[in-house]
Amino acid sequence: MSYENELGVARWKRWSDCVHPPSSTQPPSLTGVLEPTGYFDPLNLAADIDQEKFDQYRTAELKHGRVAQLAVLGYVVPEFYRFPGEIAPGIKFADIPNGVAAIEAIPSLGWLQMIFLIGAVDYWGVLGDFDIGKPDLDPEEMDRRKTCELQHGRLAMLAILELLRHDAQNFVVPGFDGMDHLITGLPFLYS
């Protein structure tokens, strides 16, 4: 979005100037809002919603961020460590390839177990009860930590998308980037 200043020169507006939280009672220092982007809602998803719906969106963002953080760990750690033992009878953890190639290597019952576990956790809200384990901190420090968690989740969502894109491209065209391993800056991990 752009506008013209008093001299007629086109300037870009910040999204935080264009889009506001759903309620006028929301403080400008809404948790998760950081400069230079400010309140970022380019698709205006929060334009005509009430506070309850906004809180539902924020809870979903937090859950997705947590899952993405675990996904990034699960994507990177097998590059240098494998659990001992078997994932299924006759299939060792070491035999499961990394990344996108693992989709075909995991047995159907394994996928069924994972889907059931994720569905059960989501249905009964185990990951949605954010009061469990909260430290007793002053409100300013708690707000800072909540903002950090949201930002880490946002970064993890971008990271897992890039890891999947990179691995899928390498799966289709092996060696497209000339790299043998996902983590190229730390060769000692593979020795």
Side-chain angles (χ1 to χ4, degrees):
M1 300 185 103
S2 66
Y3 70 99
E4 290 186 3
N5 65 9
E6 61 277 354
L7 300 175
V9 178
R11 300 276 187 207
W12 286 99
K13 275 188 173 181
R14 290 182 19 225
W15 280 109
S16 59
D17 296 334
C18 302
V19 183
H20 302 286
S23 169
S24 59
T25 62
Q26 283 288 352
S29 61
L30 185 68
T31 301
V33 175
L34 292 175
E35 290 300 327
T37 54
Y39 180 75
F40 186 73
D41 185 16
L43 299 178
N44 285 330
L45 296 175
D48 296 324
I49 62 172
D50 59 2
Q51 186 63 43
E52 183 180 340
K53 189 61 137 174
F54 182 79
D55 292 341
Q56 183 181 1
Y57 285 171
R58 180 52 59 93
T59 301
E61 179 185 17
L62 186 58
K63 278 184 168 183
H64 286 104
R66 289 175 175 177
V67 169
Q69 289 175 61
L70 290 172
V72 169
L73 278 175
Y75 211 95
V76 173
V77 169
E79 287 286 320
F80 55 88
Y81 177 78
R82 297 296 178 116
F83 287 111
E86 297 181 337
I87 192 169
I91 303 173
K92 295 181 180 181
F93 281 104
D95 295 339
I96 302 293
N98 293 350
V100 177
I103 293 172
E104 294 178 358
I106 296 176
S108 300
L109 287 177
W111 282 111
L112 189 62
Q113 282 178 315
M114 286 186 271
I115 290 168
F116 178 76
L117 177 66
I118 291 167
V121 166
D122 198 45
Y123 180 77
W124 283 290
V126 176
L127 297 179
D129 187 1
F130 304 122
D131 292 330
I132 295 175
K134 263 189 193 172
D136 187 25
L137 300 170
D138 63 277
E140 192 173 301
E141 177 64 18
M142 182 59 85
D143 189 55
R144 188 190 73 75
R145 288 190 182 191
K146 286 180 179 179
T147 298
C148 286
E149 184 177 14
L150 282 169
Q151 294 300 320
H152 293 161
R154 291 168 181 166
L155 180 62
M157 287 186 264
L158 292 174
I160 193 63
L161 286 174
E162 173 52 26
L163 286 169
L164 288 169
R165 186 219 51 91
H166 180 270
D167 198 32
Q169 189 169 352
N170 210 12
F171 191 65
V172 172
V173 183
F176 83 96
D177 60 358
M179 307 293 181
D180 293 337
H181 304 293
L182 181 64
I183 305 170
T184 58
L186 305 170
F188 62 87
L189 292 176
Y190 299 102
S191 30

